[in-house]
Amino acid sequence: MTRLRLAALLCATAFPMAASADSILVQSTTSTANSGLYDYLLPLFTEATGIEVNVVAVGTGQAIRNARNCDGDVLLVHAKPAEEQFVADGRGTSRTDLMYNDFIIVGPAGDPAGVAGMDDVQPALEKIAAAGALFASRGDDSGTHKKEVSLWAATSVDPAEASGGWYRETGSGMGATLNAGIGMGAYVMTDRATWISFANKQDYRIVVEGDADLFNQYGVIPVNPEVCPSVNIDAAQGFADWLTSAAGQEAIAAYMVDGQQLFFPNAPE
């Protein structure tokens, strides 16, 4: 029996088929879409519940703004402080840890800043800045960009002062930023799942990884129907419950690309 079919059977056992089809809109970070996770996961959920899921994949900041504007039923992103603020403001019913992976810095084989093999991200960023080596930032208020900004803030460098010089802000998603960075020979910070799934690696490789500060947590939040009456709260909560259930967590863990697990489930039991 294939892993996909086994996961589907697990889901169907835990969540009997809904009596009638329903649908929800998920405002999501791009990495979960770019990695192929939704292509694998959502058919399992629909088979188990009868609920169809539509996804808007944008940067985390934009996804949160969209959900604040009542455009969506569920938020699935990776910027925990902003997520907690969303709930504290009454815009979401609750936030639950869902899964994690990590961020990495990738760079060209020539490694002009000499950071290859480093596992301490702040000194690595300082070396990139000191060398004047190109660094491509998303610059788009995404979860990845928010994390990058927080990492720079813990260094002696203000990259904004070098904007347009060695520090290049693309204002684009992760895939587009990787393409741009590789095209100009720049270092890029990316989530590992997107990098594993990314096809245009050329001579690029992971140069910085393994720092605890590069931890990347994802959360799921149903949008509050008391603030947004259009929210399909039963289906939205059902989606959140399925993702954090044993069946959903096993399905997330089973998703692999090139033999590598992309996301590690950690919903509370």
Side-chain angles (χ1 to χ4, degrees):
M1 182 179 293
T2 67
R3 185 170 63 242
L4 183 67
R5 184 59 184 162
L6 176 60
L9 289 174
L10 286 169
C11 299
T13 300
F15 290 81
M17 185 70 72
S20 60
D22 211 339
S23 67
I24 55 172
L25 178 65
V26 176
Q27 289 287 346
S28 170
T29 176
T30 58
S31 57
T32 41
N34 291 344
S35 66
L37 178 67
Y38 288 137
D39 293 335
Y40 161 78
L41 201 63
L42 298 185
L44 301 179
F45 172 71
T46 298
E47 181 175 347
T49 66
I51 300 170
E52 297 288 341
V53 181
N54 300 297
V55 176
V56 175
V58 290
T60 286
Q62 186 61 56
I64 292 174
R65 287 190 290 274
N66 291 347
R68 282 186 177 275
N69 291 332
C70 299
D71 183 11
D73 303 288
V74 179
L75 189 60
L76 200 164
V77 289
H78 62 144
K80 192 169 183 177
E83 297 164 40
E84 291 174 335
Q85 188 62 54
F86 182 83
V87 174
D89 291 342
R91 312 303 295 194
T93 58
S94 62
R95 180 203 170 277
T96 306
D97 282 346
L98 176 61
M99 59 190 183
Y100 69 92
N101 56 22
D102 64 341
F103 294 105
I104 55 178
I105 296 177
V106 300
D111 187 25
V115 297
M118 293 185 68
D119 60 5
D120 195 340
V121 65
Q122 283 86 8
L125 291 173
E126 289 177 335
K127 285 190 72 174
I128 290 170
L134 294 179
F135 184 97
S137 168
R138 286 181 60 167
D140 65 348
D141 195 35
S142 61
T144 301
H145 180 230
K146 288 176 185 290
K147 170 62 78 169
E148 182 217 313
V149 169
S150 73
L151 294 172
W152 281 113
T155 72
S156 59
V157 179
D158 180 0
E161 294 178 354
S163 180
W166 60 263
Y167 187 74
R168 309 286 179 87
E169 296 151 290
T170 70
S172 302
M174 197 68 258
T177 298
L178 281 167
N179 277 320
I182 290 170
M184 68 178 77
Y187 293 96
V188 185
M189 193 180 96
T190 177
D191 65 282
R192 190 182 294 269
T194 298
W195 179 246
I196 291 171
S197 305
F198 186 68
N200 184 33
K201 292 183 174 70
Q202 298 189 31
D203 70 340
Y204 267 54
R205 55 179 175 158
I206 298 171
V207 293
V208 180
E209 62 180 332
D211 191 325
D213 286 345
L214 293 171
F215 182 77
N216 182 26
Q217 177 70 56
Y218 292 80
V220 60
I221 307 170
V223 177
N224 190 348
E226 294 182 4
V227 176
C228 299
S230 62
V231 167
N232 186 347
I233 189 57
D234 290 339
Q237 189 62 57
F239 182 60
D241 289 346
W242 181 83
L243 287 174
T244 57
S245 72
Q249 295 278 281
E250 288 173 16
I252 290 169
Y255 180 60
M256 296 190 181
V257 173
D258 294 334
Q260 299 180 74
Q261 184 174 341
L262 272 63
F263 300 95
F264 296 82
N266 67 342
E269 296 181 1

